[in-house]
Amino acid sequence: PVTPQQVATAAAAPSDWTTPWRQWWVLCERYFHQIWADRANLMLMALQAPLIGVVLSLLFDPKLFALNQSWGQSNYPIKEGPTLLFLLVVSCLFFGSINSCREIVKELPILRRERLVNLRLLPYFASKVTVLSVVGALQATLLVYIVQLRVSLHLPLELQLSLLAFLIAAAVGGTLLGLMLSSLAGSAEQSSSLVSVLLILQLSLSGAFIKPEEMLLPLQWLSTLSISRWTFAGVGAVADLNQRFMDLKMGWISSDFYLPIEPLWGVILPLLGLHAVLAMVALRWREGKFALLRQR
C-alpha cells in the first residue's frame, strides 16, 4: 500500500529530478534505506549465504579439490567437484532471483504515482539492478568464503577472484530474471511461485546433468541463453575440472569446460545485457498496460 508520506515525497521531488542520473541516485538511496529498514527481510537475506555455505562445506570432503587425489583405491574426492561448483552457481542464481522477484510488482502503485511526476523507467529499473546486484555480490562472496573455510579450492588468489566473478554474474543473472518475472506477474505471490519454474529450467539447461552437446537441438539452442550454463562452464574452467578428470582417467568431460575464461566472458556479458533488455521490455509493457487503463 502507498502511504501519504510516499505520495508527498513524490510530489516534492527536487528541481533536478528529471535528470536520469539524479533519479537513479535518489532511487538507489531510497531503495537501500527500504531494505535496511525492513529488518525481518534483511535478516533473511543475511542468513541465506551463511546457512547454505555451512551445509555445502559439511556436505563435501575437505580434500575435494586436493591436487593429490590418493584417497582410497578408486574413490576420488574430485569426482564430486562438479556437484559442489554447480550448487554454488545454483545458490547464487537463487539469491538473485528470490531477492528480486517481488520488487517491482509490489511497488506498482508507487511506480504509477511517481510516473506522474516525471519518473523515468530506465533509472527506476537501473536502481533495482544496482542495489540487488550489490546484495547478490555480497551473498556470493560470503558463500564462497564460508565454503572455503573447510573445502579449499586449492587455487591462487587470482583464480579465486575469477571464480567469484562468475558466481556474481550468476547472481546478477538471477536478479535480472527475477525482475523480469516481477514485471510480468500479476502479484507478488504469483511471481514467487514462478521463480521455482525458472530455476528448474536453469538447472535443466545448465549442462550439469546432460551435457549441452548431447541435448536435442532445440534444447541446445535454449541452453545457449541460459545463465547457469555459462557460469557453470566458467567455474569449471577456473577449477580446471577437465584436466583433473583426464589426469585420473575419469570420463566426466564437458566441452564447455574446455573454453578459456576470457571467451566465456564474451558470452556471459552480452547474455546479461540481453536479459537486462528483456526485463526492461517487460517493465515497459507493464507500464504501457497501466497507461492504457488510465486512458480508459
Side-chain angles (χ1 to χ4, degrees), residues 159-233:
L159 289 181
Q160 290 190 38
L161 293 176
S162 182
L163 183 138
L164 177 59
F166 281 114
L167 294 179
I168 291 174
V172 174
T175 296
L176 294 171
L177 289 169
L179 290 174
M180 190 188 311
L181 286 181
S182 190
S183 298
L184 297 174
S187 65
E189 293 75 17
Q190 186 181 92
S191 184
S192 299
S193 299
L194 289 173
V195 166
S196 59
V197 178
L198 180 74
L199 288 176
I200 290 173
L201 290 174
Q202 287 287 323
L203 304 187
S204 303
L205 298 173
S206 66
F209 306 105
I210 303 296
K211 299 173 186 178
E213 58 269 25
E214 296 177 358
M215 295 179 183
L216 294 175
L217 189 58
L219 295 181
Q220 287 186 33
W221 293 340
L222 283 175
S223 72
T224 60
L225 300 177
S226 173
I227 293 290
S228 61
R229 173 181 174 178
W230 301 111
T231 50
F232 181 44

Side-chain angles (χ1 to χ4, degrees), residues 11 32 56 61 86 217 240 267:
F32 172 79
L56 292 183
D61 191 279
F86 175 68
L217 189 58
D240 203 13
V267 176

